[in-house]
Amino acid sequence: MKFIVLGSGTTVPHPERSSSGYWLETENGSLLLDCSASVIHRMAQEKLDWANLDAIWISHFHLDHIGGLAPFLFGTKYAPETQKRTKRLNIFGPKGLQTLLEKFDRANDYNFLEQPFPLEIKEVEPLEKFEILPGIEAVAISTPHTEESLAIHLAGSDDQTIVYTADTGLTEDLATLARGVDLLVMECSFFKSKPVETHLELAEAMHLTRSAKPKRVVLTHLYPEWDNVDFQKEVEKFSPPCEVIEAKDGLRLKI
Ligand SMILES: [Zn+2]
Ligand SMILES: [Zn+2]
């Protein structure tokens, strides 16, 4: 599997960090994890085959995670690249996703739910297993961020595992979900003295890393205050049990 960071930032405009989006390339298809407004262009910048994207995961309804979905569907409806597509696009997300998309759609009769190809919107319940791509089993858990917010665990047919926390406050459930995974993609919005309970700061992310013992961690969803922090130096103070990588737009990892 290949993992590509499209946006390592937040909803705050930043010259180098787009807002949330991650591309997962597997033998069985491609998956976009969250879809901010900037991500739809970031996919093209990274020369990814967005026109044949197989599935999209929406973690929650904050605009830096879903704000690009309606524009993306408006794009695929008319783009020359998708007019001959016959393959279905599956969009997975929390309860309420369908209603929210219909509201976007009705706001100006965009009609983007009718595509040249089949489109399926699937709302998932926490702890309910589902197949997100052929041979890739997924399960999500609720996180303390918004009412609907979900973290997701992905397991490939050859036992590769990934957890994407999306936005979350501190919960030990994440350590359970991410135990021993090959890659933990974890939000670490703040360096320290976080202003809200619904995000993580470095000490908490390192606590979860120590409990979960993943093989590798990528810290992401970095607010601009990280610009003035020596990331590796601060991470090393916690003596993490594995490699901890600072997400940057364009970062590519093999899993
Ligand atoms: Zn959020
Ligand atoms: Zn966010």
Side-chain angles (χ1 to χ4, degrees):
M1 286 197 235
K2 262 193 274 176
F3 173 81
I4 300 161
V5 175
L6 297 169
S8 59
T10 67
T11 200
V12 181
H14 190 281
E16 278 136 40
R17 295 192 187 280
S18 295
S19 42
S20 295
Y22 309 87
W23 182 276
L24 195 64
E25 189 82 51
T26 79
E27 282 177 12
N28 306 319
S30 51
L31 168 66
L32 178 66
L33 299 166
D34 278 334
C35 187
S36 68
S38 42
V39 150
I40 67 177
H41 305 291
R42 289 282 302 121
M43 290 190 283
Q45 282 172 356
E46 295 290 338
K47 303 199 168 22
L48 300 171
D49 188 8
W50 54 268
N52 286 303
L53 177 63
D54 291 284
I56 300 174
W57 166 250
I58 297 295
S59 65
H60 67 296
F61 302 148
H62 279 158
L63 283 169
D64 55 321
H65 299 258
I66 195 175
L69 186 52
F72 181 60
L73 294 174
F74 194 56
T76 55
K77 187 176 170 78
Y78 299 108
E81 291 90 335
T82 46
Q83 297 311 303
K84 292 206 173 96
R85 174 176 171 153
T86 54
K87 192 172 57 163
R88 192 172 67 206
L89 171 63
N90 293 316
I91 305 175
F92 300 86
K95 199 162 180 274
L97 178 62
Q98 174 95 36
T99 305
L100 185 56
L101 276 176
E102 283 168 5
K103 280 184 187 164
F104 273 133
D105 196 44
R106 276 201 308 271
N108 196 36
D109 294 328
Y110 294 113
N111 225 10
F112 61 65
L113 295 172
E114 275 172 38
Q115 292 283 331
F117 49 85
L119 179 70
E120 197 159 314
I121 297 160
K122 298 179 182 178
E123 297 183 350
V124 308
E125 296 284 342
L127 304 178
E128 168 204 352
K129 281 186 180 162
F130 59 101
E131 199 172 54
I132 198 159
L133 286 174
I136 309 264
E137 191 174 78
V139 65
I141 63 164
S142 287
T143 52
H145 181 66
T146 60
E147 203 186 316
E148 78 285 359
S149 61
L150 298 170
I152 192 168
H153 181 283
L154 304 170
S157 41
D158 34 12
D159 283 343
Q160 295 142 317
T161 47
I162 299 176
V163 161
Y164 169 49
T165 67
D167 293 3
T168 182
L170 182 62
T171 166
E172 299 301 323
D173 293 349
L174 283 173
T176 308
L177 186 73
R179 190 135 297 143
V181 291
D182 293 300
L183 181 66
L184 170 56
V185 182
M186 179 157 47
E187 83 122 283
C188 191
S189 293
F190 300 103
F191 170 41
K192 58 180 163 190
S193 313
K194 63 178 187 180
V196 289
E197 279 306 307
T198 49
H199 283 294
L200 296 175
E201 62 181 43
L202 183 60
E204 294 168 328
M206 292 296 94
H207 164 74
L208 290 171
T209 300
R210 269 197 304 275
S211 313
K213 295 186 181 57
K215 298 209 175 79
R216 268 190 299 183
V217 177
V218 169
L219 296 185
T220 191
H221 201 271
L222 305 171
Y223 270 91
E225 66 172 64
W226 275 102
D227 290 359
N228 305 316
V229 177
D230 184 336
F231 182 92
Q232 282 308 334
K233 193 174 137 206
E234 294 301 333
V235 161
E236 275 156 30
K237 287 181 187 168
F238 292 92
S239 311
C242 64
E243 187 185 5
V244 178
I245 303 164
E246 176 185 4
K248 291 195 171 145
D249 290 16
L251 174 76
R252 288 175 180 238
L253 296 176
K254 253 201 179 132
I255 304 160

